[in-house]
């Protein structure tokens, strides 16, 4: 057993975390909804292709969408019932995607994978690929791809930082399913053929640290409570002291970072032979009656989730999918849970500080706080002026969109918005071969 | 069910810190209050009148400018961010108490309209409005600005500030020191400003220090930067004095830092966000440069140069910001392939 303090990283911010709303609420299983809307595009990469037809009877755990390409993931039915539609739906994020709509027959019939017989690394990776597991921290990058690096890695880093305010689902899982996470970690380490396992937990979760103390082969690193500690690059730096060079990936410095939730999914896929059909997330915010941590089938309508949490108050101003720093606002509640969801926040006006932006006063707070050490004010002004070449020169493409700059901006500039606009434009320019 | 209600939609982050530009400017005003109070205590109703007129004309000129720009009164009040209030205060605090009342009015109008609003308002100005306003007044009204310094004394304060200040005029200690006539001022006198002639707000250094500590505690400014400015000024002054006299003159450190407008300039004018660099390294370079320039130019010209130096420094800021940029996390230096030239 080893517990040590993480390396100090001086750039980042302190955010009021509001985790007390749900930190002590045990994970509750939601009653299965009447209808689930399973999205075919729940991950980075090519969308899955529906492999069922309208009218088909499906069982829980049956594949409904097949991965199409190297970077893609399978999608499974999260309830048993009948496929009543396969259609394009504009979800609450304003994205149009293909959905398989399944009417629940409440028979709860379930299908499983066959038992794994040899537990060789390659068969473990194959199972993780088959089960459609993606990075559940939010990015949604297919885990199997991450577990088959070109070079031999020497450390597996488990991300238990959960630095986003409000969110407590990872924390609850670490308390309630400690054993499962540990088993998932062991399988993942085996798949990567490495022995060194580092577990990074933020210092504000003493109970979680305590829960994992008993596993002698984990190198537990207590991280300073700081945002964005859960960012891959910063987690790697604070736990191992390695800096991921710009434009490079974690495997270039010999590590692989996995989220605790992904570890549970791996455990379920390998030991329980279950594909990824449900997610755990936090429903919180001042505008929801009963903030809770919830386990729900993938594809559950957000309306049902909100209803399960006692509905919302009149003062509801904004609904955010994900954490308040990096999550996306919903246009309306016609949204359905996806693999990568970590929270749904119903926020009041007093929480979101809806002030209009004023002139930048050049105070340099954004540059001081930026965890990537960029100059957000220059990127913003170049982006707004349409000079994307200069925006790129100042490092627009290295931005994590963590929101540290905009959080503390006294002029309330929409820095992240401008920078992500610049990123899209730069990508477009590169695509057009300019 | 809230399903039909229109939700707010915006880019992340969805939570933000409470502090706004207005909060910061109100903090600066609060930090200037000790200096304002001490100025009124030392120099009486005239100081109060100058401060009030200066602040009022600053705020009014901003308001009138915006009215001409066809903004409604409601909009003007809504977007009022107290920057003009700070400008007005700083102009008043950096002039002598016997200055005619029209001087701060003209300086304020120049500072707000020409320096700030014509460039696009708060945050868009190239140089600090207050400093420029002061320099404008100095150059335009040389005779009235250079004479009429009042020296407050302990006895005059004890005897009731409103009635018994005798208008003894004199050069500031800085001028005396620079002309070689420096005499017996104790460090304590210099800190409190008792018996020293000076501007309304620059005389009592202790009040300025209290204000600066408030700003540092509220995290409006980083106290290290002005400290660098003051320390560098002192050290360079000591070196210059020692070289001139041919012997080590450590005592000249104190008159150099505790006289003239250095404290007001370092804590409140040079730290202005808009006209100081955006990076930590840039700021250190900027403030050290100001310190060197202040000491050297004082020594060379024999007049108080802090506001001129800050003005000059402001113009160098874009240059500093162009060349000193943070290195991104994980930055790898691109190795330049040296091409062998065949002679």
């Amino acid at each position: 057993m080893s517990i040590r303090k993480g390396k100090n990283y001086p750039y980042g911010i302190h955010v009021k975390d509001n985790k007390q709303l749900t930190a002590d609420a045990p994970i509750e299983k939601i009653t299965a909804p009447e209808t689930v809307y399973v999205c075919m595009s729940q991950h980075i990469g090519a969308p899955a292709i529906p492999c069922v037809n309208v009218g088909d009877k499906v069982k829980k755990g049956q594949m409904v969408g097949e991965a199409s390409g190297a970077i893609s993931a399978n999608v499974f039915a999260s309830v048993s019932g009948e496929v009543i539609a396969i259609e394009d739906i504009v979800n609450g994020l304003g994205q149009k995607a293909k959905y398989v709509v399944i009417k629940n027959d409440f028979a709860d019939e379930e299908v499983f994978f066959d038992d794994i017989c040899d537990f060789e690394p390659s068969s473990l990776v194959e199972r993780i690929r088959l089960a459609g597991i993606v990075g559940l921290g939010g990015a949604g990058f297919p885990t199997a791809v991450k577990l088959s690096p070109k070079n031999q890695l020497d450390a597996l880093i488990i991300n238990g930082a959960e630095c986003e305010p409000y969110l407590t689902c990872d924390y609850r899982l670490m308390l309630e399913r400690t054993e499962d996470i540990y088993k998932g970690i062991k399988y993942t380490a085996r798949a990567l053929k490495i022995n060194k396992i580092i577990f990074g937990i933020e210092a504000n979760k003493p109970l979680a640290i305590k829960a994992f103390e008993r596993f002698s082969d984990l190198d537990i690193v207590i991280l300073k409570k700081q945002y964005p500690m859960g960012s891959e690059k910063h987690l790697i730096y604070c736990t191992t002291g390695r800096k991921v060079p710009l434009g490079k990936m974690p495997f270039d410095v010999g590590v692989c970072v996995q989220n605790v939730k992904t570890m549970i999914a791996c455990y379920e896929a390998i030991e329980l032979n279950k594909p990824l059909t449900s997610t755990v997330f936090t429903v919180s915010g001042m505008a929801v009656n009963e903030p809770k941590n919830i386990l729900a089938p993938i594809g559950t309508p957000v309306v049902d989730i909100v209803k399960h949490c006692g509905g919302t108050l009149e003062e509801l101003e904004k609904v955010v999918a994900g954490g308040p720093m990096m999550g996306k606002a919903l246009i309306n509640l016609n949204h359905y849970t996806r693999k990568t969801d970590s929270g749904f926040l119903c926020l009041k006006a007093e929480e979101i500080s809806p002030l209009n932006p004023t002139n930048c006063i050049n105070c340099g707070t954004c540059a001081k706080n930026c965890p990537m050490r960029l100059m957000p004010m220059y990127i913003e002004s170049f982006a707004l002026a349409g000079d994307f070449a200069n925006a790129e020169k100042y490092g627009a493409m290295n931005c994590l969109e963590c929101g540290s700059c905009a959080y503390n901006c006294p002029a309330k500039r929409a820095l992240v918005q401008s920078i992500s606009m610049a990123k899209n434009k730069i990508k477009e320019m590169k695509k057009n071969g300019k | 069910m809230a399903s039909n209600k229109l939700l707010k939609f915006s880019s992340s982050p969805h939570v933000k810190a409470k502090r706004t530009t207005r909060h910061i400017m109100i903090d600066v005003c609060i930090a200037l209050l000790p200096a304002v109070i001490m100025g009124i205590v030392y120099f009486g109703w005239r100081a109060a009148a100058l401060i009030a007129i200066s602040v009022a004309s600053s705020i009014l000129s901003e308001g009138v400018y915006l009215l001409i720009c066809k903004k409604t009164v409601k909009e003007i009040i809504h977007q009022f961010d107290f920057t003009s209030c700070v400008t007005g205060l700083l102009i008043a605090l950096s002039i002598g108490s016997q200055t005619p009342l029209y001087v701060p009015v003209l300086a304020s109008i120049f500072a707000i309209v020409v320096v700030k609003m014509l460039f696009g308002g708060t945050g868009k100005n190239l140089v600090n409005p207050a400093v420029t306003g002061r320099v404008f007044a100095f150059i335009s009204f040389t005779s009235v600005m250079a004479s009429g310094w009042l020296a407050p004394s302990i006895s005059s304060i004890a005897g009731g500030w409103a009635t018994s200040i005798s208008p003894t005029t004199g050069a500031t200690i800085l001028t005396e020191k620079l002309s070689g006539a420096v005499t017996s001022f104790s460090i304590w006198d210099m800190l409190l400003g008792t018996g020293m002639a000076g501007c309304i707000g620059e005389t009592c250094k202790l009040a300025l220090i209290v204000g600066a500590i408030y700003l540092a505690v509220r995290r409006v400014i980083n106290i290290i930067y002005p400290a660098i400015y003051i320390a560098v000024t002192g050290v360079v002054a000591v070196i210059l004095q020692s070289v001139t006299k041919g012997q080590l003159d450590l005592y000249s450190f104190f008159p150099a830092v505790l006289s003239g407008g250095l404290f007001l300039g370092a804590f409140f004018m040079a730290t202005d966000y808009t006209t100081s660099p955006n990076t930590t390294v840039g700021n250190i370079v900027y403030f050290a440069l100001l310190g060197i320039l202040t000491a050297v130019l004082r020594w060379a010209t024999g007049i108080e140069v802090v506001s001129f130096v800050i003005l000059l420094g402001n113009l160098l800021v874009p240059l500093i910001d162009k060349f000193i940029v943070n290195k991104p996390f994980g930055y790898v230096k691109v190795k330049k392939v040296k091409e062998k030239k065949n002679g």
Side-chain angles (χ1 to χ4, degrees), chain A residues 26-288:
Chain A
I27 297 167
E28 245 176 66
K29 199 172 171 191
I30 195 171
T31 42
E34 295 274 327
T35 327
V36 292
Y37 299 74
V38 183
C39 182
M40 290 295 113
S41 178
Q42 308 190 25
H43 47 263
I44 289 184
I49 296 163
C51 57
V52 285
N53 295 314
V54 178
D56 283 3
K57 291 273 181 202
V58 292
K59 289 175 180 170
K60 186 180 173 189
Q62 185 179 334
M63 194 190 291
V64 294
E66 199 176 357
S68 63
I71 300 180
S72 186
N74 295 334
V75 180
F76 296 85
S78 52
V79 294
S80 62
E82 188 191 342
V83 177
I84 52 170
I86 297 171
E87 58 185 351
D88 282 340
I89 294 179
V90 177
N91 64 21
L93 298 172
Q95 298 162 341
K96 196 173 179 185
K98 195 148 251 151
Y99 279 79
V100 171
V101 187
I102 303 167
K103 191 164 172 27
N104 196 349
D105 61 4
F106 296 97
D108 227 13
E109 285 174 286
E110 202 167 347
V111 286
F112 298 97
F113 296 126
D114 299 331
D115 281 335
I116 296 183
C117 41
D118 59 355
F119 287 95
E120 281 301 309
S122 57
S123 45
L124 295 182
V125 174
E126 177 56 25
R127 170 54 57 85
I128 287 167
R129 191 191 64 73
L130 189 64
I133 296 172
V134 298
L136 300 180
F141 191 80
T143 305
V145 181
K146 247 178 158 180
L147 294 183
S148 4
K150 291 183 195 85
N151 51 330
Q152 174 61 39
L153 309 180
D154 66 348
L156 169 66
I157 300 176
I158 306 301
N159 185 353
E162 199 170 47
C163 56
E164 278 268 9
Y166 291 95
L167 303 186
T168 54
C169 49
D170 287 5
Y171 172 67
R172 287 312 305 180
L173 286 170
M174 283 192 268
L175 294 187
E176 294 176 27
R177 301 186 64 181
T178 317
E179 198 73 35
D180 299 351
I181 292 173
Y182 178 70
K183 282 182 183 160
I185 293 172
K186 293 304 280 183
Y187 285 128
T188 312
R190 194 181 162 81
L192 284 166
K193 291 174 264 182
I194 48 183
N195 296 321
K196 192 173 169 191
I197 303 162
I198 299 170
F199 199 129
I201 308 180
E202 262 192 6
N204 62 345
K205 304 178 184 67
L207 291 177
I209 295 167
K210 215 166 177 182
F212 282 95
E213 266 174 8
R214 61 194 158 102
F215 302 111
S216 57
D217 47 354
L218 297 183
D219 177 12
I220 296 174
V221 180
I222 303 173
L223 306 163
K224 210 170 98 185
K225 185 193 170 295
Q226 186 181 332
Y227 183 86
M229 200 44 101
S231 142
E232 218 167 42
K233 289 183 175 183
H234 299 93
L235 187 72
I236 292 170
Y237 179 75
C238 290
T239 52
T240 66
R242 297 177 201 177
K243 281 185 185 175
V244 182
L246 288 180
K248 293 287 169 76
M249 301 300 285
F251 62 76
D252 289 310
V253 293
V255 298
C256 176
V257 180
Q258 296 288 355
N259 183 271
V260 286
K261 251 193 208 167
T262 319
M263 291 300 96
I264 291 185
C266 290
Y267 157 78
E268 289 185 343
I270 292 165
E271 201 158 310
L272 306 182
N273 300 325
K274 276 179 166 175
L276 183 55
T277 58
S278 61
T279 44
V280 177
F281 50 82
T282 304
V283 180
S284 187
M286 309 256 255
V288 67

Side-chain angles (χ1 to χ4, degrees), chain A residues 9 245-246 312 314 316-318 324-325 327 329 352-353 359 361-363 372-373 375 377-378 407-408 410 412, chain B residues 2 5 8-10 12-17 19-21 120 122-123 273-274 278-279 321 325-330:
Chain A
Y9 186 69
L246 288 180
T312 52
E314 266 305 295
L316 178 71
E317 282 282 312
K318 200 180 214 178
M325 296 298 286
I352 57 176
S353 64
N359 277 355
I361 54 167
N362 257 313
C363 60
M372 286 307 290
R373 312 283 291 125
M375 306 293 283
M377 66 292 234
Y378 299 154
Y407 181 84
N408 270 336
K412 306 290 159 212
Chain B
K5 186 180 168 175
K8 278 229 163 71
F9 184 74
S10 75
S12 61
H14 306 288
V15 288
K16 281 177 184 176
R19 170 175 279 183
T20 62
T21 306
T122 309
Y273 286 148
T274 308
N278 291 327
T279 56
D321 272 342
V325 181
N326 289 342
K327 288 267 171 292
F329 179 62

